[in-house]
Amino acid sequence: MHRRTVPTSLAAAAVVAVLAGCAAGGNGSGGAEGSSDPVTFICTPQEDWCQLVASEFTSATGIRADYVRLSGGEAVARLSATGDSPEFDAWFGGGAEGHLAADEAGFIEPYTSPNAERIADEYKDPDGRWTGVYVGALSFCSNTDVLDEIGAKAPTSWQDLLDPKFKANVAMAHPGTSGTAYQALWTEVDLNDGDQDAALAYFTKLHSNILQYSKSGSAPGQMAGRGEVATGVIFAQDCQKFINEGFTNLTTTFPKEGTGYEVGAVSLLANARNPEGAKAFIDWTLTAEAQDLAATVGSYSVPTNPDATLTDDMVDLDEVTLEPVDLDDAGAARTELVARFDTEVAPAPKE
């Protein structure tokens, strides 16, 4: 991998050229090219990235793609609601622990893409239940003007968020609806050597400083950008996106004790109506060309394909203290731990 800035116009031109080649004989589209059956996928990243993924996959393969945007928690709930009559063929994005929770409930069909050979072992499941397409580090996204008003500095530790100066000035999503927030919850479990009681005790203390639990994991960054709170707990790539979109009073910091990270995954859903189209979709998402699309719409997560381009807007993971994540444990504990958060800390936001 290499790190450089990609001008949007040049990136778009390169993408068009690459995808034209894919359509003509391309890379990773499998035997489903030109299929008349659409692929319908759950998409968990931000809307503009979802739109681009759907349209460019269709351009590359000739397979029509439809999607429904759902957060990680919403995706698992939607899959549970549909039962044996699935609406979707694949799930793109959202933390791997969410895909593992779906697998625990019987909603994942293992599939090892031939393109997964290019992905590092730590970013894929050995049994093919999920394969990583991007990595994101959890961060504090703070409004420097609001920090000045409350007499606080940008937080650089989890303990900083407990400072009374931050009363009603922190926003985060609810772990029952957001993979981002569940990552924050599980990070505290890891930092407390697997002690879930200690993690929940931390969030009980933090609760008085929380202005609002949002449904979406990125919404707290927008709240910080608008000056509604001092700090939002979100992934760093989302904070950078908001900065580039005009919220220039935002700054990104990381907790020194260690921060959780998300491996955004793609997976094949059980009982898919178009399994071959879904496999072609998964194959395509693992290519460098597909992963390079994210930065063109301001999604600055770190791609997992080593041939993809790293830009200056992406976090240098070597410079952040990452807390090792046991994704299997995080996925297996999700349902029970979220239920405890809902009961012991705060109920999930309603529609």
Side-chain angles (χ1 to χ4, degrees), residues 14 213 259:
Y213 295 97
T259 192

Side-chain angles (χ1 to χ4, degrees), residues 41-60:
F41 64 99
I42 295 170
C43 192
T44 297
Q46 298 199 45
E47 183 71 29
D48 46 6
W49 190 4
C50 294
Q51 291 177 356
L52 189 62
V53 165
S55 65
E56 297 297 2
F57 169 70
T58 298
S59 296

Side-chain angles (χ1 to χ4, degrees), residues 24-182:
N27 168 355
S29 60
E33 184 172 338
S35 169
S36 60
D37 296 327
V39 171
T40 304
F41 64 99
I42 295 170
C43 192
T44 297
Q46 298 199 45
E47 183 71 29
D48 46 6
W49 190 4
C50 294
Q51 291 177 356
L52 189 62
V53 165
S55 65
E56 297 297 2
F57 169 70
T58 298
S59 296
T61 65
I63 303 171
R64 195 181 91 218
D66 302 315
Y67 72 90
V68 175
R69 188 186 179 280
L70 299 170
S71 69
E74 290 172 326
V76 175
R78 182 78 165 259
L79 291 170
S80 299
T82 56
D84 294 331
S85 301
E87 304 171 78
F88 307 105
D89 302 304
W91 179 4
F92 175 80
E97 71 281 353
H99 293 250
L100 287 170
D103 179 67
E104 286 280 324
F107 301 130
I108 300 294
E109 180 73 25
Y111 170 63
T112 300
S113 167
N115 291 340
E117 291 183 358
R118 297 294 297 142
I119 311 302
D121 287 346
E122 61 264 36
Y123 300 143
K124 63 188 177 186
D125 178 65
D127 298 320
R129 294 174 294 174
W130 61 270
T131 309
V133 289
Y134 61 86
V135 181
L138 205 61
S139 74
F140 303 138
C141 184
S142 300
N143 184 311
T144 54
D145 294 334
V146 179
L147 289 173
D148 288 343
E149 290 173 11
I150 66 174
K153 295 181 180 179
T156 57
S157 77
W158 293 103
Q159 292 304 308
D160 286 348
L161 292 185
L162 301 181
D163 190 322
K165 291 178 180 178
F166 283 93
K167 185 174 179 61
N169 256 300
V170 178
M172 63 174 278
H174 191 284
T177 62
S178 162
T180 303
Y182 184 72

